[in-house]
Amino acid sequence: MNEIWQGLLEAIKLIVSLDPEILEISGRSLWIALSSCLLASVICLPIGGLIHFQRFAGKRTLISLIQTFYSIPTVVIGLFVFVLLSRTGPLGGFNLLFTPTAMIIGQMLLVIPIVLGLTISALSGIDKVIPDTARSLGAGSFQTAVVVLKEARFAVTAAMIMAFSRAISEVGLALIVGGNIKGFTRVITTTISLETAKGDLELALALGIILMFIALVINLVLNQLQTR
Amino acid sequence: MPLIETVDLCQKYNGHDVLKKIALQVEPGEVLSLIGPTGAGKTTLLRLLDLLDTPTSGRIYFAGTEVTRSGKTRSETRRKMAFVLQKPVVFNASVYDNVAYGLKWRGITRNELYQRVSGILETVSLSALRDRNARTLSGGEIQRIAIARAIALEPELLLLDEPTANLDPISISRIEKLIANIIHQHKTTIIMTTHDMRQGQRLPNKVAVLINGEILQTGSSRDIFTSPHNQEIAEFVGTENIINGVITTSEEDLVTINTSGKIIEAIADYPVGEEVCACIRPEDITLANSQAPSSARNSYAGKIMQVVPIGPLCRIEIDCDFSLFALVTGRSVEELDLVRGKTIYATFKATAIHIIRRER
Amino acid sequence: MKRLIYYSASLFVILGMITSSIGCTATRLKVATTTSLYDTGLWSHLEPMFEEKYKVELDVIHAGTGIALEYGKRGDVDVITVHDKAAEEKFITDGYGVQRVPFAYNYFLIVGPPSDPADIKGLSSEEAFKKLMATSDGIFVSRGDNSGTHTKEKAVWENAGFDYETVRKAGAWYIEGGKGMGPTLQMANEKKAYTLTDMGTFATYKSKLQLVPTVAKGSTLLNVYSAIAVNPAKVPGVNMDTANNLISFLASPEIQKFIGNYGIQEYGIQLFIPSAGVKSTQ
């Protein structure tokens, strides 16, 4: 129990003193998680709209499949991206392994099912009359989709918060494709894992608390945005 | 040239015919009311006219151009129309934005947008609520927004689906005034549906009766209310007295009909032996305590079975071997002392009777 | 306002993607190092020194020896610093590595509870393992993860005359942790068990543990760290020149001295003995 108190104290100390290394690591965690979520959203919102608005055979199965991928282990995605980006892998030529870009790609793949699946549920929660109303007022297909997405913005924001939470808290993928390189690909979770291995449990716990703090701030910002 | 015209428009839904060979022509500036019971296919027809759905077969012409199926013409044509759906939903945005949406999609400049929306909000008396989230408003206010955002588009054709359904009487009269205003000021061509046949009578100048997916009669509201083409229409437009009988004599537009042994005289031209219905509107029946010598040929003694007040009027059910409903003022009830069990004389003119051939 | 936020966010992402892609051009040298070298903090001292001297970004990726060798084979790193002689030699015979350059060594330790329930203190590593097997009096926590340390443990079992597969099934006293060195030490500490550890990790953890060094003798326990540059002839695209710079750097007298002194101040023991130029018997 003592470690937890020590961790809390350490966290406060690190936050208050604006420790430059912690700031850098936290900033990177935030940036990588946000980028991957934004990219995932950019990809998933249109695709989610497409899946929702189109009628086709196997739609239910596809949605179940997407939802199954919610629970894919981060390590598995990590290994997949590793094999893909490794120098001898199919995308080895881009020289992306052990870079933040690789981590963004990995986390993006990790959260795509979440954003996609939750976007589809968000859209199906919207009154069926909304798209008809939009079309009757002269909206084209794209404008209609935008209107429906706007109507679903609360649920879509919730999807993004979920995705962000999963991205910023995962460690397996970040370790495998990022390599935990100091000053380059080291993020909060990989630091926690390293500090645990090194036996500095207080620092590890403190970093965990800082991560929660960042998540809190981001959730507040996103919630603020959606209520506007 | 009609603004909108349909030719043999059919819509099937799960193998069931919702619309059967609809032929409709609406001239520019015309106001058409589609009346018919719930489930008759009114909404389906409006959705086809607004090109939201594609018909199973048949064609739609807008200002002379066929627009039934081609995707591009459909969306272009849709922008010349505005459709207020039966269940009005507003977007989760301010009242102002709700009205502005359709104009934004048409790429209207910011300045013009502001002016148009403000003007429309003034028209529908919603200026005070412009910044409120539209979701927080009452049913009547939401319907006004729905109409406002439609007329803001200045459409060539305005489609209204049951614009006053599920509203309170005050909201209904406001909306009706608003529609009357649109008709009056903008000369917009309007097609509206209603299951409230009185509204059909109050507002438009042309009425089409849609029952079971078929347009059974089109004409002025007066035509339809006084001379329904068949029993179904008669029942729908509120002809309460529909009496079955057989033509016994027929000469020079005057026929006599035998019904339950009683003879009714009417102005009509049907051959002897024809099975018909005699339709008499309850307000055309006069009641008296004694058999008055009058020009009316049809006068029957009967026993009052029931007296039911309806607003300022009273509906009297009389048994004179056939059942007859009469509508009289409350004052008449007092003066004539119309009570249950009393014998009374019911009289109606031969010209007040509308004869329909009975269908087998 | 909202639109502005969305636009700036997208711009931020795009810029981020571009800069991070630029950041990973050929000027970066990647080295995969065994965890025990990293967790002692040695690399965090060496890294800035090297970067300063050669004006190159050095990326240090810490992984078990097995994974580090795999990174090398795939060309994902340019240099590996590991401690598993047999695997290293195979790496070179297979053509992946150019030359094995030992630059430091120390000894593995068998640590255990001060009470020493199996009474193995002072024995050689092989004798100690034989006794553990015979008596089952002590619990032994194995890394069980094919790391260099684990390979070393297997070698001791083989030298003691046991087939490792039978050891794994020997009984409840033999535990495969499947964790890194630090957590394995903590597990041994909780279970009052013995475990085989490298000296560096034990030194950093010592203050948190009740475990004491029990066996530190035996040539099998010698732990040699060597650096290998990945062979560009076999694995195209690796940065041989800069890799050789790193190896020369590690073998340079100045750095050798630094390695020799590392940890004395902080942990009170010498963690690594410099070995560059010394002809290793191992």
Side-chain angles (χ1 to χ4, degrees):
Chain A
M1 268 322 275
N2 191 36
E3 285 95 340
I4 293 173
W5 287 118
Q6 290 296 322
L8 195 63
L9 280 177
E10 179 95 28
I12 294 166
K13 221 161 70 191
L14 287 172
I15 294 171
V16 172
S17 67
L18 295 173
D19 182 284
E21 199 177 336
I22 299 296
L23 277 183
E24 185 211 303
I25 291 171
S26 308
R28 190 175 297 119
S29 263
L30 187 64
W31 161 53
I32 290 178
L34 276 181
S35 307
S36 54
C37 288
L38 277 168
L39 284 173
S41 305
V42 167
I43 294 169
C44 292
L45 292 185
I47 296 180
L50 211 63
I51 293 174
H52 173 74
F53 288 115
Q54 299 296 314
R55 266 180 242 156
F56 56 89
K59 182 166 165 175
R60 282 267 22 122
T61 320
L62 177 66
I63 292 172
S64 305
L65 198 69
I66 292 168
Q67 287 168 342
T68 308
F69 274 92
Y70 289 2
S71 42
I72 190 163
T74 58
V75 182
V76 174
I77 293 268
L79 284 173
F80 175 72
V81 177
F82 173 79
V83 170
L84 219 58
L85 295 183
S86 175
R87 185 90 40 101
T88 49
L91 301 179
F94 292 104
N95 219 352
L96 285 177
L97 191 67
F98 303 137
T99 64
T101 311
M103 297 166 78
I104 292 174
I105 293 170
Q107 290 191 352
M108 181 186 81
L109 292 178
L110 180 72
V111 301
I112 274 177
I114 297 178
V115 182
L116 195 56
L118 292 182
T119 298
I120 295 168
S121 345
L123 292 179
S124 25
I126 294 302
D127 194 329
K128 300 276 177 288
V129 183
I130 287 279
D132 279 346
T133 305
R135 285 172 67 208
S136 73
L137 292 172
S141 330
F142 179 72
Q143 288 159 332
T144 306
V146 170
V147 164
V148 176
L149 268 176
K150 264 191 177 169
E151 290 297 303
R153 62 187 178 272
F154 290 89
V156 170
T157 312
M160 286 183 187
I161 290 177
M162 270 299 291
F164 175 79
S165 312
R166 181 137 159 100
I168 201 163
S169 64
E170 73 80 26
V171 56
L173 188 150
L175 269 180
I176 293 174
V177 303
N180 194 17
I181 299 167
K182 190 182 167 195
F184 189 45
T185 60
R186 182 161 300 173
V187 291
I188 297 183
T189 51
T190 59
T191 314
I192 292 176
S193 136
L194 176 68
E195 293 306 326
T196 309
K198 281 162 74 176
D200 196 342
L201 303 185
E202 289 85 2
L203 181 59
L205 276 169
L207 286 165
I209 293 164
I210 290 172
L211 185 123
M212 299 294 290
F213 183 72
I214 293 175
L216 174 73
V217 171
I218 288 295
N219 285 1
L220 287 178
V221 169
L222 281 176
N223 277 314
Q224 194 57 41
L225 270 184
Q226 73 174 352
T227 47
R228 272 219 213 147
Chain B
M1 186 175 37
L3 180 65
I4 192 156
E5 183 180 2
T6 69
V7 177
D8 288 346
L9 207 58
C10 293
Q11 183 73 313
K12 273 193 181 152
Y13 212 80
N14 295 335
H16 169 75
D17 288 314
V18 185
L19 291 176
K20 299 165 204 161
K21 298 210 163 199
I22 301 289
L24 202 66
Q25 286 190 6
V26 181
E27 299 296 327
E30 202 169 38
V31 177
L32 172 73
S33 181
L34 275 171
I35 63 170
T38 309
K42 302 188 296 286
T43 301
T44 310
L45 179 54
L46 284 195
R47 289 182 64 92
L48 289 181
L49 293 179
D50 195 41
L51 307 171
L52 285 177
D53 297 335
T54 314
T56 316
S57 65
R59 279 160 291 151
I60 301 169
Y61 294 89
F62 191 89
T65 314
E66 192 187 336
V67 292
T68 326
R69 279 172 191 90
S70 150
K72 197 163 153 51
T73 16
R74 276 164 61 89
S75 55
E76 272 170 19
T77 311
R78 198 182 301 122
R79 289 201 164 183
K80 295 177 186 162
M81 306 188 250
F83 181 15
V84 177
L85 283 91
Q86 178 170 6
K87 183 188 159 204
V89 291
V90 285
F91 303 115
N92 193 351
S94 70
V95 171
Y96 180 90
D97 283 340
N98 261 279
V99 178
Y101 262 120
L103 291 169
K104 278 187 190 159
W105 290 326
R106 285 163 174 78
I108 275 172
T109 61
R110 217 167 232 273
N111 234 335
E112 200 189 337
L113 181 76
Y114 182 82
Q115 304 221 323
R116 285 261 282 270
V117 176
S118 302
I120 295 292
L121 287 179
E122 197 68 42
T123 313
V124 298
S125 332
L126 285 172
S127 298
L129 301 174
R130 56 181 297 149
D131 294 325
R132 276 268 294 279
N133 185 312
R135 286 274 160 87
T136 61
L137 303 184
S138 74
E141 288 164 336
I142 284 178
Q143 185 61 280
R144 261 145 70 202
I145 294 174
I147 294 175
R149 67 186 173 196
I151 58 176
L153 306 174
E154 294 176 1
E156 290 176 44
L157 174 63
L158 177 62
L159 303 165
L160 301 166
D161 194 4
E162 304 262 1
T164 58
N166 309 319
L167 293 182
D168 59 282
I170 296 171
S171 297
I172 290 179
S173 77
R174 272 193 104 136
I175 299 282
E176 282 182 358
K177 260 188 210 148
L178 184 61
I179 297 170
N181 220 15
I182 300 165
I183 296 170
H184 199 72
Q185 288 187 342
H186 299 277
K187 311 260 181 286
T188 311
T189 312
I190 296 179
I191 301 176
M192 63 179 283
T193 67
T194 180
H195 65 269
D196 175 2
M197 50 105 186
R198 284 198 200 91
Q199 187 172 59
Q201 204 173 9
R202 275 197 299 272
L203 283 169
N205 55 23
K206 194 171 149 191
V207 174
V209 185
L210 184 68
I211 294 176
N212 273 332
E214 277 179 286
I215 291 187
L216 296 180
Q217 189 172 358
T218 310
S220 72
S221 57
R222 187 162 168 75
D223 279 352
I224 292 180
F225 285 92
T226 56
S227 323
H229 277 180
N230 67 26
Q231 207 171 328
E232 261 178 315
I233 303 170
E235 278 166 13
F236 180 72
V237 300
T239 309
E240 281 176 274
N241 298 304
I242 301 172
I243 301 153
N244 292 340
V246 181
I247 305 282
T248 47
T249 67
S250 171
E251 52 182 77
E252 287 191 19
D253 288 352
L254 188 70
V255 292
T256 57
I257 304 152
N258 183 342
T259 171
S260 330
K262 295 276 171 103
I263 300 296
I264 297 174
E265 291 185 0
I267 306 290
D269 188 9
Y270 282 96
V272 173
E274 184 81 40
E275 294 189 349
V276 294
C277 306
C279 303
I280 308 144
R281 298 200 65 85
E283 58 271 22
D284 287 338
I285 296 172
T286 52
L287 301 180
N289 280 328
S290 57
Q291 186 157 18
S294 91
S295 66
R297 293 174 189 255
N298 305 308
S299 192
Y300 308 92
K303 199 193 248 175
I304 296 179
M305 304 302 289
Q306 220 178 6
V307 180
V308 181
I310 304 168
L313 303 175
C314 263
R315 185 171 173 269
I316 318 282
E317 186 184 349
I318 306 151
D319 179 19
C320 29
D321 293 345
F322 52 90
S323 211
L324 210 55
F325 295 96
L327 207 56
V328 297
T329 60
R331 184 184 286 264
S332 308
V333 173
E334 275 174 33
E335 282 174 4
L336 298 172
D337 187 27
L338 300 177
V339 289
R340 209 178 145 199
K342 187 174 172 181
T343 300
I344 193 93
Y345 292 91
T347 307
F348 46 89
K349 293 179 180 171
T351 50
I353 303 169
H354 173 64
I355 304 290
I356 303 168
R357 181 181 287 109
R358 228 185 310 160
E359 282 149 32
R360 265 153 285 207
Chain C
M1 184 57 202
K2 205 156 148 186
R3 188 163 296 198
L4 193 73
I5 293 172
Y6 288 140
Y7 283 146
S8 45
S10 354
L11 198 70
F12 171 74
V13 170
I14 293 161
L15 280 178
M17 294 289 286
I18 294 167
T19 48
S20 61
S21 310
I22 290 167
C24 52
T25 45
T27 53
R28 302 192 86 99
L29 180 72
K30 292 186 197 298
V31 53
T33 180
T34 180
T35 326
S36 52
L37 279 177
Y38 197 84
D39 288 354
T40 52
L42 177 64
W43 269 111
S44 48
H45 289 87
L46 295 178
E47 191 190 326
M49 291 159 102
F50 179 75
E51 287 179 347
E52 173 67 22
K53 190 165 177 188
Y54 289 92
K55 308 293 176 214
V56 162
E57 274 293 319
L58 181 64
D59 289 344
V60 185
I61 295 142
H62 57 100
T65 296
I67 274 287
L69 288 165
E70 184 65 27
Y71 286 160
K73 282 184 193 168
R74 294 177 151 270
D76 296 325
V77 294
D78 307 294
V79 187
I80 51 174
T81 59
V82 290
H83 61 144
D84 183 345
K85 194 185 175 198
E88 289 162 31
E89 277 169 349
K90 184 166 189 307
F91 187 76
I92 289 167
T93 0
D94 290 348
Y96 293 109
V98 184
Q99 195 196 349
R100 177 174 171 259
V101 181
F103 63 93
Y105 69 93
N106 59 15
Y107 288 93
F108 279 99
L109 303 170
I110 296 173
V111 294
S115 59
D116 191 15
D119 194 21
I120 57 172
K121 197 169 178 71
L123 299 179
S124 80
S125 52
E126 281 79 3
E127 287 164 3
F129 272 22
K130 275 181 195 160
K131 197 156 186 186
L132 280 174
M133 194 68 166
T135 62
S136 307
D137 278 343
I139 304 169
F140 187 88
V141 179
S142 166
R143 286 279 291 275
D145 61 355
N146 268 336
S147 58
T149 312
H150 188 211
T151 311
K152 184 64 74 177
E153 182 205 324
K154 285 192 269 190
V156 178
W157 285 115
E158 303 276 331
N159 286 354
F162 298 105
D163 174 31
Y164 183 62
E165 283 310 306
T166 59
V167 177
R168 290 181 71 186
K169 296 180 199 106
W173 61 271
Y174 188 83
I175 298 169
E176 288 182 80
K179 296 187 179 70
M181 197 66 251
T184 304
L185 281 170
Q186 281 174 321
M187 191 172 175
N189 190 49
E190 298 290 330
K191 292 195 172 294
K192 295 193 166 45
Y194 298 98
T195 191
L196 183 73
T197 173
D198 67 280
M199 196 183 273
T201 314
F202 180 66
T204 58
Y205 265 84
K206 212 168 63 171
S207 62
K208 295 186 173 61
L209 306 170
Q210 272 101 52
L211 302 176
V212 295
T214 313
V215 174
K217 274 203 297 189
S219 60
T220 326
L221 293 186
L222 181 66
N223 180 29
V224 180
Y225 293 99
S226 43
I228 305 173
V230 180
N231 186 0
K234 176 88 177 180
V235 187
V238 293
N239 193 345
M240 178 77 161
D241 292 340
T242 325
N244 281 333
N245 283 344
L246 180 68
I247 292 172
S248 330
F249 169 81
L250 289 174
S252 70
E254 185 199 350
I255 298 304
Q256 285 286 298
K257 189 164 172 247
F258 179 83
I259 292 173
N261 291 331
Y262 183 73
I264 294 177
Q265 212 175 11
E266 199 175 341
Y267 306 110
I269 45 169
Q270 184 184 21
L271 292 179
F272 304 103
I273 304 149
S275 68
V278 177
K279 190 81 186 141
S280 171
T281 49
Q282 259 288 308

